[in-house]
Amino acid sequence: MHKKIAVTGHRPKGLNKVMKYGNVNDDKFVEYTSLMQSTVMQYATNGYDYFISGGAIGVDLDFARAVINTKFLLNKLNKTKIELEMALPCTDQDKKWNAEDKARYQKILLRADKITLVSDKYSFDCMQKRNESMVDNCDKLLAFWNGEQSGGTWNTIQYAKKVGKDIEIIDLQKL
């Protein structure tokens, strides 16, 4: 039986409120990416073997990349095997993304162990349904949160509390 962890967090707009997202010269962005990687490794070496990402640009894809990197390192060391599930809200989640983000997303999907589709097509609530499905299917929710008490990340944290999930909140304001 798997020990599962799902992630929630902001897209670039929300991340830019606490760092210069994507800027490798920004100390807070570097600290964020290092923290993401070390957090995934910590969970992987402490019994969590199944990681769930929603695949959105920002925290979701950063988390998926960290899982893929951790998986590679653990395999190289003949350590615990871990799996990545991409829980997608709809088939065309990347429809309005730029070419670079689409290419990165497709590479991650190719490396995922499982792809779960919540809806065949976009709807006004498919993102929230995806978030709730991830919470329902995990043992723990890992939240990279900028302190805002509105939006998808906040709603997912509140839903996880409502259904009694174990939650670790990483306060991005403290980077």
Side-chain angles (χ1 to χ4, degrees):
M1 189 158 112
H2 290 292
K3 195 167 177 187
K4 299 178 180 182
I5 189 163
V7 73
T8 190
H10 302 283
R11 296 189 184 174
K13 182 179 176 184
L15 293 168
N16 278 325
K17 294 181 178 184
V18 292
M19 70 183 82
K20 293 177 185 166
Y21 182 72
N23 182 341
V24 296
N25 295 316
D26 179 63
D27 291 342
K28 288 185 178 187
F29 176 72
V30 171
E31 185 176 347
Y32 157 76
T33 55
S34 296
L35 179 61
M36 176 78 71
Q37 187 63 59
S38 64
T39 301
V40 169
M41 181 61 84
Q42 177 186 353
Y43 278 107
T45 57
N46 284 294
Y48 284 86
D49 62 346
Y50 200 90
F51 297 78
I52 307 169
S53 169
I57 298 171
V59 168
D60 288 1
L61 289 182
D62 295 340
F63 179 79
R65 272 195 304 272
V67 172
I68 290 166
N69 291 341
T70 301
K71 187 176 182 175
F72 175 79
L73 291 170
L74 292 174
N75 285 343
K76 199 169 187 166
L77 298 170
N78 293 315
K79 299 283 185 183
T80 307
K81 302 275 185 200
I82 64 171
E83 295 181 43
L84 172 63
E85 177 183 345
M86 297 298 289
L88 309 181
C90 55
T91 53
D92 59 351
Q93 172 174 237
D94 63 342
K95 184 178 182 179
K96 296 181 180 180
W97 298 1
N98 66 43
E100 182 181 337
D101 289 332
K102 283 184 182 198
R104 195 170 35 208
Y105 176 65
Q106 291 303 318
K107 285 180 184 177
I108 288 171
L109 291 180
L110 289 172
R111 292 185 173 147
D113 297 287
K114 180 178 181 182
I115 297 173
T116 303
L117 189 60
V118 173
S119 176
D120 289 335
K121 59 183 178 179
Y122 177 83
S123 65
F124 75 96
D125 63 346
C126 69
M127 304 292 179
Q128 185 60 30
K129 284 182 180 179
R130 183 261 331 264
N131 294 343
E132 290 177 7
S133 174
M134 291 190 325
V135 168
D136 291 341
N137 289 296
C138 75
D139 299 301
K140 183 173 197 129
L141 179 68
L142 178 61
F144 287 83
W145 181 53
N146 71 3
E148 289 186 346
Q149 295 186 4
S150 63
T153 301
W154 177 250
N155 292 341
T156 304
I157 292 168
Q158 295 309 303
Y159 178 75
K161 286 180 181 178
K162 178 181 164 185
V163 298
K165 291 293 177 170
D166 187 16
I167 306 167
E168 178 183 353
I169 297 175
I170 295 176
D171 187 349
L172 296 173
Q173 297 176 96
K174 294 182 179 178
L175 291 177

